[in-house]
Amino acid sequence: MGPLVVANWKMNGSEQLLRAVVQEVGGLAEATVVLAVPAPYLSLTKGFGNTQVEWAGQNVHWLKSGAYTGEVSASMLVEMGVGWCLVGHSERRQHFSETDELVLAKTKACLEVGIRPIVCVGESLQERQAGKALEVVSRQLTEVLNGVPRALAPLIVVAYEPVWAIGTGEEASPEIAQEVHEALKRAARCEIEALELRVLYGGSVNADNANALMRMPDVDGVLVGGASLEALGFRQLCAQVAGSV
Ligand code: PGA
């Protein structure tokens, strides 16, 4: 499997930017490029025809339907041609009180309809300084792996996103990323034997640091926030990632 680049626009962007980004990266074959754009833009994706780009939701509700104003279900994402969904991003854990329990419920909702969940894990600065980084991320991952049907676990991709590196311009060093990714893969194999977990790194990734991160043996791709909001720069980043294997 080739490297994976996931763009997380958060609550940013426009239809114009979407068109520009698809034009820049839509033909890249050496890496899988997945765009996690705000939900309204997902309704435009079918209009792009035969682009290589794949699509992700940034959030999903855990129930199938009901009186939950403002929410989007996993089957609605499928209907829009969406194949991936971010789950448990630290911004959702922090600002929308998402617990490990909710992250599991959302992961299951995705798996039930064949959406590949990109489960985000990461420690805070305090947790890292207290020497608890590996413990925290392993717990976040095991809570999910423990609760999903084993046969569907290979659909899960994990994104290691240290909270202190998100939007701060201060990325984790390639060595830190490698250490955590290796620990996550080990924790995954303890839960489900022979599970080959793919782990992305996220947190201040840009065209200058992507290559060094990707050279680490256990970094299988990147999750990119701010640097995915400029079409040309994002293409350079994707090209760096594509060329790194
Ligand atoms: P950043 O965001 O690249 O802007 O740090 C990453 C993320 O939150 O997914």
Side-chain angles (χ1 to χ4, degrees):
M1 257 183 281
L4 187 57
V5 185
V6 182
N8 175 14
W9 278 16
K10 312 188 180 189
M11 199 171 69
N12 296 300
S14 63
E15 183 177 343
Q16 196 187 3
L17 179 65
L18 184 61
R19 294 192 186 285
V21 168
V22 173
Q23 197 178 350
E24 290 298 335
V25 300
L28 259 188
E30 301 80 5
T32 304
V33 180
V34 179
L35 303 183
V37 294
Y41 300 135
L42 294 174
S43 61
L44 301 171
T45 59
K46 287 184 183 165
F48 285 111
N50 65 344
T51 165
Q52 303 265 1
V53 161
E54 298 185 25
W55 303 99
Q58 293 182 2
N59 184 31
V60 66
H61 197 275
W62 59 95
L63 293 175
K64 290 188 170 66
S65 62
Y68 300 100
T69 302
E71 294 294 323
V72 170
S73 74
S75 59
M76 291 170 188
L77 293 177
V78 171
E79 226 181 319
M80 290 298 116
V82 173
W84 304 78
C85 190
L86 300 179
V87 181
H89 190 280
S90 63
E91 287 153 16
R92 296 217 52 91
R93 292 182 195 253
Q94 189 186 340
H95 303 304
F96 302 93
S97 308
E98 286 194 8
T99 57
D100 286 347
E101 201 182 352
L102 273 190
V103 172
L104 170 61
K106 290 179 174 206
T107 303
K108 281 161 96 173
C110 289
L111 292 174
E112 269 168 33
V113 296
I115 287 187
R116 309 195 56 154
I118 303 165
V119 177
C120 304
V121 300
E123 81 285 1
S124 66
L125 186 58
Q126 269 172 329
E127 288 164 335
R128 172 152 289 275
Q129 285 168 345
K132 294 200 165 129
L134 297 184
E135 184 188 320
V136 169
V137 297
S138 302
R139 190 207 69 231
Q140 290 171 333
L141 173 64
T142 359
E143 295 274 335
V144 168
L145 291 182
N146 257 328
V148 299
R150 297 206 148 208
L152 299 179
L155 286 178
I156 296 174
V157 169
V158 165
Y160 168 53
E161 298 214 302
V163 177
W164 47 270
I166 295 177
T168 59
E170 196 189 316
E171 80 275 9
S173 66
E175 292 73 24
I176 288 183
Q178 170 58 27
E179 184 191 26
V180 177
H181 286 214
E182 202 184 345
L184 285 167
K185 290 183 184 192
R186 208 177 321 119
R189 281 193 302 268
C190 281
E191 285 307 314
I192 301 176
E193 218 186 307
L195 180 64
E196 294 212 14
L197 190 70
R198 287 174 94 190
V199 184
L200 316 178
Y201 169 77
S204 299
V205 176
N206 56 45
D208 296 328
N209 60 27
N211 198 270
L213 285 158
M214 286 302 300
R215 276 205 297 268
M216 294 292 122
D218 288 310
V219 176
D220 304 312
V222 287
L223 177 46
V224 187
S228 67
L229 293 169
E230 199 273 304
L232 264 179
F234 183 58
R235 187 187 59 185
Q236 278 163 11
L237 193 162
C238 291
Q240 289 279 330
V241 172
S244 67
V245 285

